[in-house]
């Protein structure tokens, strides 16, 4: 594996995977991260912000388990859920009452787990973009 990773490396990786524009690019980024010792996963989301919050957190946990970033351990699941909740809360003021869509990026190296949520927020053609980021140590 690569050199020792810290929270900054893992947070950067989560943002990088969250902003990929295609499945092919996502796979390329995952492969590059894997060579550096960082595991990553991504999943899309969309809908009304208020009703999407729980789904975003759940999708982050499910994607992290599916891709082997975390075990089915309550502590690791809670770490991802907490980081996802933190990321979403950073965007809430802009998104309440509007439609959102985007991608969740999760990255892990050693004990560090980061979740980045890339949002497109708006209605009709009036969209804004935002990124929220959360980090936990497991």
């Amino acid at each position: 594996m690569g050199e020792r990773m810290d929270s900054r490396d893992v947070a950067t990786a989560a943002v990088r995977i969250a902003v990929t524009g295609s499945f092919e690019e996502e796979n390329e980024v995952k492969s590059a991260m894997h060579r550096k010792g960082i595991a990553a996963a991504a999943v899309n989301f969309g809908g009304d912000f208020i009703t999407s919050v729980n789904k975003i957190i759940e999708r982050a946990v499910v994607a992290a388990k599916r891709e082997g970033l975390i075990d089915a351990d309550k502590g690791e699941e809670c770490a991802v859920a907490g980081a996802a909740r933190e990321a979403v809360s950073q965007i809430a003021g802009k998104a309440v009452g509007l439609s959102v869509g985007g991608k969740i990026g999760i990255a892990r190296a050693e004990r560090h787990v980061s979740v980045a949520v890339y949002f497109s927020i708006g209605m009709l053609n009036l969209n804004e973009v935002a990124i929220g980021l959360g980090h936990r140590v497991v």
Side-chain angles (χ1 to χ4, degrees):
M1 295 271 179
E3 71 271 2
R4 188 160 172 79
M5 295 292 137
D6 64 16
S7 57
R8 185 172 159 243
D9 297 318
V10 177
T12 301
V15 171
R16 180 68 186 104
I17 197 77
V19 298
T20 55
S22 67
F23 187 66
E24 293 78 21
E25 182 185 5
E26 184 181 307
N27 284 331
E28 289 171 14
V29 170
K30 277 191 211 178
S31 294
M33 288 178 189
H34 182 72
R35 289 190 295 275
K36 294 179 179 180
I38 300 173
V43 63
N44 295 326
F45 67 90
D48 173 71
F49 178 76
I50 298 295
T51 58
S52 294
V53 171
N54 284 344
K55 291 177 192 168
I56 291 168
I57 295 167
E58 289 172 5
R59 282 181 179 224
V61 173
V62 168
K65 284 196 306 192
R66 181 189 68 229
E67 296 292 325
L69 276 66
I70 61 170
D71 295 323
D73 170 86
K74 200 62 124 178
E76 293 189 359
E77 290 176 1
C78 287
V80 172
R85 187 179 186 289
E86 173 62 28
V88 170
S89 72
Q90 294 169 8
I91 309 302
K94 294 181 179 193
V96 170
L98 298 171
S99 294
V100 296
K103 189 182 280 191
I104 307 161
I106 309 110
R108 179 171 185 181
E110 299 167 8
R111 297 181 59 211
H112 298 282
V113 176
S114 288
V115 177
V117 187
Y118 177 73
F119 280 86
S120 176
I121 306 164
M123 56 186 177
L124 303 173
N125 293 326
L126 307 170
N127 288 322
E128 183 173 354
V129 295
I131 296 175
L133 179 65
H135 174 267
R136 296 292 187 273
V137 174
V138 291

